[in-house]
Amino acid sequence: MELDPKIPEGPIEKKWDTHKFNLKLVNPANKRKYTIIVVGTGLAGGSAAATLGELGYNVKAFCFQDSARRAHSIAAQGGINAAKNYPNDGDSVFRLFYDTIKGGDFRAREANVYRLAQLSVNIIDQCVAQGVPFAREYGGLLDNRSFGGAQVSRTFYARGQTGQQLLLGCYQALSRQVARGKVRLYPRTEMLDLVVIDGRARGIVVRDLVTGKISSHAADAVILATGGYGNIFYLSTNAKGSNITATYRAYKKGAGFANPCFTQIHPTCIPVSGSYQSKLTLMSESLRNDGRIWVPKKKGDTRHPNDIPEEERDYYLERRYPSFGNLVPRDVASRAAKERCDAGYGVGPGGLGVYLDFADAIKRDGRDVIEAKYGNLFEMYERITAENPYEVPMRIYPAVHYTMGGLWVDYNLMSTIPGLFVLGEANFSDHGANRLGASALMQGLADGYFIISYTISDFLASHPPDGTDETHPCFKDCEDDVIKRIEKLLGINGTKPPDYFHRKLGKVLWDKCGMSRNREGLQEALSEIPKIREEFYRDLSCPGTGEELNQTLEKAGRVADFLEFAEVMCLDALKREESCGCHLREEYQTEEGEAKRNDEEFCYGAVWEYQGEGREPKMHKEPFEFEYVKLTQRSYK
């Protein structure tokens, strides 16, 4: 496996513009001769499909939801970053670049991150032109707020439903191309394998989730924009359908998987309420702008929070990180909450919670102002917990949210399989070991609206249409493999549903590869996961057939892939003998409990190559070189 990042020459601020000019083009009359498959219709996939359709390519877009509007991007709440410096508070493209590199604990590729910061300013203009109703100040200008890991206000938002509004804007653009006949949508259709012919991605095999029909689709290039794999932990903030199947199938066909152990824990989620809870609910990080996080100073204090006087409260983030206070990055805030709860200061059932208190903000600005900013979030919290956050502090606790790991891509967003491009959360490129809040939407739209249209053109210009279609024998072989996997799951005839195994796997990963990891725990996980997988293939209950709507079969296939990929995650965490960002190896900490990097030995992206069933994957390294930022120990004090 060759890892050539294809980083352009020249000063970092000119790399992208120079690169765009040097990329090969496909002339407008020839674009209609090419077909491009896009898997996933969230912000990355939807914007890519709309953009490529508008350029004249023939696009096939696939999603397993009943509508492209139901992609998980719709769940994003707090905002989207852009270096427009509207508040005139010292922001710039370079500052956004630096904050993102630092936030990811210096484990991302400089050139990609700088390009993301550059393109951020274009995204806002694009979305405003589409009618996205960003919040505005009294005078009509777009408003901004702050997010963790930054000391400027650069986050554009639409109350607590920014992802929904951005996705609706993207969906409008996509629908226009559908109406023009340039994009064909395939809803309720799940990708189950990637077709590789002569080392090049040439199509996918899918299952119609309503009829169960297996079919193939050929193309000149394939784009995966299928999101992350946080659901591997069972309890996460992800939609229940979110999975790893598309990217894992590509990995088994030769695509390198980078940094799989980098999983982001979000600090502000509603705590677990029961052992059979199916998912967790995110409360936007934007709430940390006005909410103050605290725990009682006395262990095991069960008094009502409003009865605990100010002098008996520990605002521990403000105490430990005075410069950033409640707006430290997510990994720092999450670990700090865990430390307080582990020490016995947690609140709520089981002591697994801390308070997020808006009393001071309401007193300072008035309830109407807070309601205008966060009203829908407060309403959601009250519906779930039956507690009114205007009157009593919210209870929050960290939970699995986003994954920085993903398929390895070069500067052109192409994987190690020629013709296979990967966008958004499905790739590894921009966030390093920890994503700053409000940067996921930024990356997805940058990849889809402003990058892929240039880079895929360069690939297609060198690979003219050659008549390869679904009649090629490789498509039939791939379909046969998919059918065999389905028949294997249906034929087990055991007694336990997929969720039983998923929940069991999730507990192992949360306990031993979650907010903190250590050698002993990871080795235990690597011995326990194969046992769960063995039980899965011995005692799975998957009733029904493959020729019908069968949601148990859908879950079983996704859990089967999680059960394999979990070993890659734990192996990656075990091999990385340092702490960085979200990856806290307990053996490698500062005296104050902060992540301690080892730049001499681990300043690289770990890229895993599949070696076959039952064999340990092979690790390759992409060294990260920093020319424009200085490698320093992260500090938010």
Side-chain angles (χ1 to χ4, degrees), residues 105-157:
D105 218 349
F106 304 92
R107 291 296 178 261
R109 192 187 291 147
E110 263 193 342
N112 287 62
V113 178
Y114 191 89
R115 176 176 63 184
L116 176 65
Q118 275 181 301
L119 294 174
S120 68
V121 297
N122 299 339
I123 295 169
I124 303 305
D125 297 337
Q126 169 90 1
C127 295
V128 168
Q130 290 174 335
V132 174
F134 287 121
R136 293 179 181 269
E137 297 175 333
Y138 178 77
L141 299 176
L142 295 181
D143 198 10
N144 290 108
R145 58 188 177 201
S146 299
F147 259 62
Q151 291 183 303
V152 297
S153 293
R154 62 163 67 101
T155 306
F156 295 77
Y157 65 98

Side-chain angles (χ1 to χ4, degrees), residues 285-503:
E285 182 182 329
S286 63
L287 294 170
R288 293 197 276 150
N289 272 278
D290 290 295
R292 299 179 70 193
I293 295 173
W294 63 275
V295 292
K297 288 184 178 179
K298 186 174 73 173
K299 290 184 180 181
D301 194 333
T302 58
R303 286 178 292 174
H304 190 281
N306 292 347
D307 294 334
I308 301 177
E310 189 74 13
E311 62 271 16
E312 296 181 33
R313 300 180 178 189
D314 178 14
Y315 295 92
Y316 59 90
L317 290 179
E318 298 172 29
R319 169 173 58 82
R320 291 179 59 179
Y321 308 101
S323 293
F324 282 74
N326 295 296
L327 288 174
V328 292
R330 291 173 173 178
D331 62 318
V332 176
S334 294
R335 284 196 294 273
K338 182 178 185 296
E339 184 274 329
R340 288 289 81 191
C341 292
D342 289 350
Y345 297 95
V347 300
L352 292 178
V354 300
Y355 289 126
L356 179 60
D357 196 338
F358 290 86
D360 287 350
I362 291 171
K363 184 178 179 180
R364 179 185 67 241
D365 299 330
R367 174 169 169 159
D368 290 348
V369 172
I370 299 303
E371 190 169 352
K373 288 182 178 180
Y374 314 113
N376 63 306
L377 296 172
F378 278 46
E379 180 184 354
M380 182 170 67
Y381 181 87
E382 185 172 9
R383 288 189 178 187
I384 292 171
T385 66
E387 296 176 355
N388 184 346
Y390 293 105
E391 298 173 359
V392 64
M394 291 182 179
R395 283 181 298 107
I396 57 169
Y397 192 72
V400 172
H401 180 52
Y402 186 92
T403 50
M404 284 70 64
L407 292 182
W408 183 90
V409 292
D410 61 18
Y411 191 74
N412 293 328
L413 304 184
M414 189 162 72
S415 72
T416 55
I417 299 177
L420 178 67
F421 295 81
V422 192
L423 313 186
E425 190 180 358
N427 76 31
F428 91 112
S429 69
D430 291 2
H431 306 297
N434 178 67
R435 179 174 67 78
L436 292 184
S439 288
L441 306 184
M442 175 174 64
Q443 186 208 349
L445 292 180
D447 288 356
Y449 280 138
F450 299 110
I451 299 175
I452 191 62
S453 56
Y454 288 95
T455 60
I456 203 169
S457 167
D458 182 71
F459 175 80
L460 294 175
S462 302
H463 297 82
D466 59 6
T468 298
D469 61 18
E470 294 84 355
T471 62
H472 192 285
C474 284
F475 284 92
K476 177 66 166 59
D477 293 343
C478 202
E479 284 187 23
D480 289 344
D481 289 342
V482 166
I483 292 169
K484 285 177 185 175
R485 288 203 301 272
I486 291 173
E487 290 176 345
K488 182 177 181 180
L489 295 172
L490 292 169
I492 296 171
N493 296 321
T495 63
K496 297 182 177 69
D499 278 351
Y500 167 85
F501 302 99
H502 194 178
R503 190 181 288 112

